[in-house]
């Protein structure tokens, strides 16, 4: 695994520089994974990447910030190259995800599994449009193809918190409303770590009305009113969509399941019907909590996720770590904190490359059928 990074404002040059950093001196790249700002002209960016790595299979997505070995960044592009004789890979894409997110995922995963050469260890990497519906459907769609046999990992594309349009990259195409996938099969172990670092605040609330990922009422009151009142939200968050998104970024909901607690990113509010929009489903009749975190709890979760991922390598040294880090965690840590976080991830990598992006949601399924997360750090380790 190797990583290239560029913040050149010119898209073709940025793509070429980042790709060259990932593939320079290597003739055996089998997969490129690209994380980039949505502000680039993505067609030109992909052309620049192809100029240095022609014909190499590629998946990727737009971000809410990029992660490279040197640290966190914005308005840049990161290219990860995976290759060598110990790996086999295959890619696939499914479009029109808002019309059927599960089917789009199934199509992408089936394309991967039809052509990948299976080795001792495998993982499915999924990159999706986090604004395109209930992201648990991504996990269900992949599970329908591979069952519990192959773990899932990945994240939801971002658009720098504009919450308008995200992009998924496949070969030389910049797609919207899509799911892209890569099956990676390896002779060596693969590790996945998952931690969030949030804790409950105050009394639980009953989800008295919800429809998929939209919450209409909590404790029989309009959900938005309860949420704003419980948190003592600033005045602007009561009427301004952008102000609400910035505030909600660091105030997720926790929902209770038999298998544990899951965190839900509150992505927006409807000021007319007073509902909350989340990235994944919030079941009606369940309990929910306001969640909070601080730098210590978030960085403790960083250490836990990295340690869990590296432990999955069974003593093999990592070739590199890929981090899918929720944009909300970045909001808690602030500018100095995100540099400290990437330094900690790099320490677990032991000198190997670090890459990734800030997401609108994270995918990690190693057991059971659940596997979509919010406000969480997911780390993929390759040996």
């Amino acid at each position: 695994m190797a990583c290239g990074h560029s913040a050149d404002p010119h898209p073709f040059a940025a793509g070429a520089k980042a790709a060259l950093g990932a593939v320079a001196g290597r003739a055996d790249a089998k997969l490129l994974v690209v994380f980039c700002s949505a502000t680039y002209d993505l067609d030109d960016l992909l052309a620049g990447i192809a100029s240095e790595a022609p014909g190499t299979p590629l998946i990727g997505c737009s971000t809410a910030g990029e992660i490279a070995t040197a640290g966190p960044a914005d308005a840049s592009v990161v290219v990860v190259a995976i290759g060598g004789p110990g790996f086999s890979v295959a890619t696939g894409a499914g479009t029109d995800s808002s019309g059927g997110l599960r089917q789009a995922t199934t199509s992408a995963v089936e394309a991967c599994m039809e052509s990948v050469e299976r080795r001792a260890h495998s993982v499915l990497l999924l990159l999706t449009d986090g604004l395109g519906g209930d992201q648990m459907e991504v996990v269900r769609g992949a599970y329908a193809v591979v069952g519990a046999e192959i773990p899932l990992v990945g994240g939801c594309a971002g658009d720098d918190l504009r919450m308008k349009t995200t992009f998924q990259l496949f070969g030389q195409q910049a797609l919207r409303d899509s799911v892209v996938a890569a099956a990676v099969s390896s002779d060596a172990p693969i590790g996945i770590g998952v931690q969030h670092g949030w804790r409950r605040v105050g009394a639980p609330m009953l989800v008295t009305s919800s429809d998929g990922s939209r919450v209409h009422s909590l404790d029989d009151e309009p959900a938005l009113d309860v949420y704003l009142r419980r948190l003592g939200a600033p005045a602007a968050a009561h009427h301004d969509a952008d102000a609400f998104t910035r505030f909600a970024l660091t105030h997720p909901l926790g929902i209770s399941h038999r298998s544990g607690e899951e965190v839900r990113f509150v992505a927006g509010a409807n000021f007319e019907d007073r509902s909350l929009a989340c990235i994944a489903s919030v079941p009606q009749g369940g309990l929910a909590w306001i969640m909070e975190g601080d730098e210590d709890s978030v960085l403790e979760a960083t250490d836990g996720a990295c340690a869990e991922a590296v432990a999955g390598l069974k003593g093999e040294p990592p070739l590199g770590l890929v981090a899918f880090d929720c944009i909300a965690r970045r909001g808690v840590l602030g500018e100095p904190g995100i540099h400290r976080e990437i330094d900690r991830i790099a320490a677990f990598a032991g000198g190997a490359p670090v890459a990734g992006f800030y997401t609108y949601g994270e995918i990690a399924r190693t057991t059971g059928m659940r596997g979509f997360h919010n406000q969480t750090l997911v780390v993929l380790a390759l040996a």
Side-chain angles (χ1 to χ4, degrees):
M1 175 175 154
C3 175
H5 175 241
S6 175
D8 194 306
H10 303 287
F12 186 95
K17 290 175 183 177
L20 182 61
V23 303
R26 305 174 184 90
D28 57 355
K30 294 183 177 178
L31 175 69
L32 302 181
V33 185
V34 179
F35 307 121
C36 65
S37 170
T39 59
Y40 280 121
D41 181 311
L42 297 179
D43 290 332
D44 283 351
L45 183 82
L46 290 168
I49 293 170
S51 71
E52 297 294 341
T56 305
L58 180 152
I59 67 166
C61 66
S62 58
T63 74
E66 302 79 48
I67 295 169
T69 304
D74 292 293
S76 70
V77 55
V78 171
V79 177
V80 181
I82 298 170
F87 286 107
S88 60
V89 303
T91 60
T95 57
D96 188 27
S97 62
S98 61
L101 192 51
R102 188 185 304 200
Q103 182 55 52
T105 306
T106 297
S107 297
V109 173
E110 285 178 340
C112 293
M113 300 313 298
E114 284 172 1
S115 54
V116 71
E117 177 190 342
R118 293 289 300 275
R119 296 172 182 264
H121 307 274
S122 297
V123 66
L124 268 170
L125 174 58
L126 298 163
L127 302 173
T128 81
D129 178 7
L131 305 179
D134 179 2
Q135 297 297 305
M136 267 304 298
E137 291 292 279
V138 173
V139 177
R140 295 182 184 114
Y143 191 89
V145 180
V146 300
E149 183 182 6
I150 297 179
L152 314 176
V153 70
C156 298
D159 64 348
D160 298 315
L161 277 182
R162 294 180 180 88
M163 296 292 173
K164 301 295 185 185
T165 303
T166 73
F167 296 90
Q168 298 74 51
L169 310 178
F170 184 71
Q172 292 301 292
Q173 298 176 284
L175 307 173
R176 303 182 189 188
D177 191 25
S178 300
V179 178
V180 296
V184 178
S185 203
S186 173
D187 292 336
I190 296 170
I192 298 172
V194 190
Q195 297 282 335
H196 61 70
W198 302 89
R199 54 182 175 265
R200 299 176 181 179
V201 178
M205 303 167 288
L206 183 65
V207 181
T208 44
S209 178
S210 66
D211 178 15
S213 58
R214 185 163 291 277
V215 183
H216 295 283
S217 67
L218 296 167
D219 290 338
D220 287 320
E221 293 185 65
L224 177 58
D225 297 344
V226 175
Y227 181 82
L228 294 172
R229 185 177 68 243
R230 283 273 193 118
L231 290 166
H238 288 250
H239 60 82
D240 181 86
D242 290 339
F244 178 86
T245 297
R246 289 192 297 272
F247 175 75
L249 188 65
T250 54
H251 299 90
L253 290 178
I255 58 174
S256 182
H257 286 290
R258 275 181 269 177
S259 57
E261 191 170 69
E262 294 183 355
V263 183
R264 288 290 180 263
F265 177 21
V266 180
N270 186 316
F271 296 109
E272 294 182 1
D273 70 12
R274 316 303 291 171
S275 65
L276 298 172
C278 297
I279 295 291
S281 60
V282 178
Q284 183 170 304
L287 292 178
W289 285 263
I290 303 293
M291 307 288 279
E292 71 172 15
D294 55 28
E295 181 171 331
D296 288 342
S297 68
V298 168
L299 290 179
E300 182 179 348
T302 299
D303 290 343
C306 291
E308 187 179 354
V310 172
L313 302 183
K314 310 298 183 185
E316 296 282 343
L319 293 179
L321 301 182
V322 183
F324 305 91
D325 200 355
C326 186
I327 183 62
R329 289 167 47 86
R330 183 176 184 174
V332 171
L333 291 172
E335 191 63 27
I338 59 173
H339 286 271
R340 284 192 285 272
E341 180 182 40
I342 305 308
D343 287 345
R344 289 169 100 130
I345 296 172
F348 279 94
V354 171
F357 75 106
Y358 292 100
T359 73
Y360 287 174
E362 305 75 52
I363 296 167
R365 191 213 62 77
T366 55
T367 60
M369 285 189 64
R370 294 196 174 276
F372 183 74
H373 309 269
N374 280 146
Q375 327 287 78
T376 296
L377 173 64
V378 171
V379 179
L380 170 67
L382 300 174

